[in-house]
Amino acid sequence: DVKVTQSSRYLVKRTGEKVFLECVQDMDHENMFWYRQDPGLGLRLIYFSYDVKMKEKGDIPEGYSVSREKKERFSLILESASTNQTSMYLCASSWTGGADNEKLFFGSGTQLSVL
Amino acid sequence: SQQGEEDPQALSIQEGENATMNCSYKTSINNLQWYRQNSGRGLVHLILIRSNEREKHSGRLRVTLDTSKKSSSLLITASRAADTASYFCATEGSGYSTLTFGKGTMLLVSP
């Protein structure tokens, strides 16, 4: 089975801190994504990557950056955390080609609280 | 953004009943997908229907797609308490694009 692992299930940080959210997938997927999920707003795409060292902005990239130095790992960085970044963060991955390439495989999520 | 919109926002039924959720979207799509999320966890892919398909089945799930109305429905037959979760539709737009998710329908199935 495909496994997408997010490093932390719950995280509490203070305003202004630099925060790293890590995501690792074990199926050699080319594509990786970061979403945030907020009540009443659904899932919104922050950043995605189609290959190592490549990144693309999603719908809400402001206040975030990403890093993809290795194919299996995609990191989301909050340069200076703010209270409005308190949210559930979901990482996902997918193939570029082959069967079922359109579907996403999700990690379990990281609930981030910024105090 | 062509975010899908699910309807209803919440649905409460008894075990054994059928549950129907609807999704509407705004622009042309390549495919539409349904995902399930158990409370506080990640999403799990359920089923994908392509723009040239009208109906698809997977176990107790039945999905329909009406591209003329830009809408889809997910039917879960003979619901079980374990089906309690949030259900999201997601659309992939025409041309190469990322998935855009709706806000979800919360389904509660009571024993």
Side-chain angles (χ1 to χ4, degrees):
Chain A
D1 278 351
V2 174
K3 192 159 187 182
V4 180
T5 302
Q6 294 185 231
S7 54
S8 303
R9 184 77 184 91
Y10 298 97
L11 209 53
V12 180
K13 295 292 181 180
R14 297 212 173 268
T15 302
E17 280 192 76
K18 190 169 186 176
V19 181
F20 292 86
L21 302 183
E22 306 287 347
C23 176
V24 178
Q25 49 90 6
D26 66 357
M27 279 299 292
D28 205 34
H29 285 174
E30 291 85 3
N31 310 315
M32 297 189 74
F33 306 83
W34 277 106
Y35 288 88
R36 66 177 280 178
Q37 183 177 22
D38 301 286
L41 295 177
L43 276 76
R44 293 178 291 166
L45 182 62
I46 305 171
Y47 266 98
F48 58 102
S49 169
Y50 292 130
D51 203 349
V52 175
K53 296 192 186 296
M54 294 185 69
K55 59 185 179 183
E56 299 285 344
K57 292 180 180 179
D59 298 320
I60 51 163
E62 296 79 17
Y64 303 94
S65 62
V66 290
S67 173
R68 192 160 181 207
E69 295 297 317
K70 293 185 178 182
K71 190 174 186 179
E72 67 271 18
R73 186 180 297 270
F74 193 36
S75 302
L76 181 69
I77 303 157
L78 288 65
E79 294 290 342
S80 178
S82 64
T83 55
N84 62 12
Q85 292 178 309
T86 290
S87 185
M88 169 70 91
Y89 289 88
L90 292 163
C91 176
S93 67
S94 70
W95 281 287
T96 293
D100 292 334
N101 63 300
E102 299 100 333
K103 74 180 189 183
L104 298 184
F105 295 85
F106 280 86
S108 296
T110 295
Q111 180 62 52
L112 173 67
S113 296
V114 182
L115 306 179
Chain B
S1 174
Q2 57 168 12
Q3 187 179 42
E5 291 288 337
E6 290 91 342
D7 171 61
Q9 290 186 343
L11 181 60
S12 183
I13 60 174
Q14 300 292 121
E15 265 191 329
E17 294 181 341
N18 295 341
T20 299
M21 288 158 264
N22 302 298
C23 171
S24 59
Y25 57 92
K26 295 177 181 172
T27 60
S28 298
I29 60 171
N30 286 332
N31 66 71
L32 184 144
Q33 305 178 35
W34 286 91
Y35 287 79
R36 165 195 169 125
Q37 183 181 35
N38 287 82
S39 180
R41 309 301 293 182
L43 280 73
V44 176
H45 182 269
L46 294 176
I47 195 165
L48 179 153
I49 187 164
R50 301 188 188 283
S51 59
N52 61 353
E53 297 175 313
R54 292 297 167 258
E55 188 171 312
K56 206 160 181 181
H57 296 255
S58 177
R60 293 185 296 114
L61 304 181
R62 172 179 168 253
V63 170
T64 61
L65 179 64
D66 187 335
T67 53
S68 67
K69 295 181 180 179
K70 291 186 170 60
S71 68
S72 173
S73 67
L74 172 67
L75 169 67
I76 304 174
T77 60
S79 295
R80 306 165 182 167
D83 294 328
T84 293
S86 291
Y87 292 82
F88 294 85
C89 71
T91 52
E92 180 184 296
S94 296
Y96 188 61
S97 72
T98 56
L99 282 184
T100 301
F101 286 81
K103 297 176 183 178
T105 292
M106 291 182 60
L107 173 65
L108 174 64
V109 182
S110 301

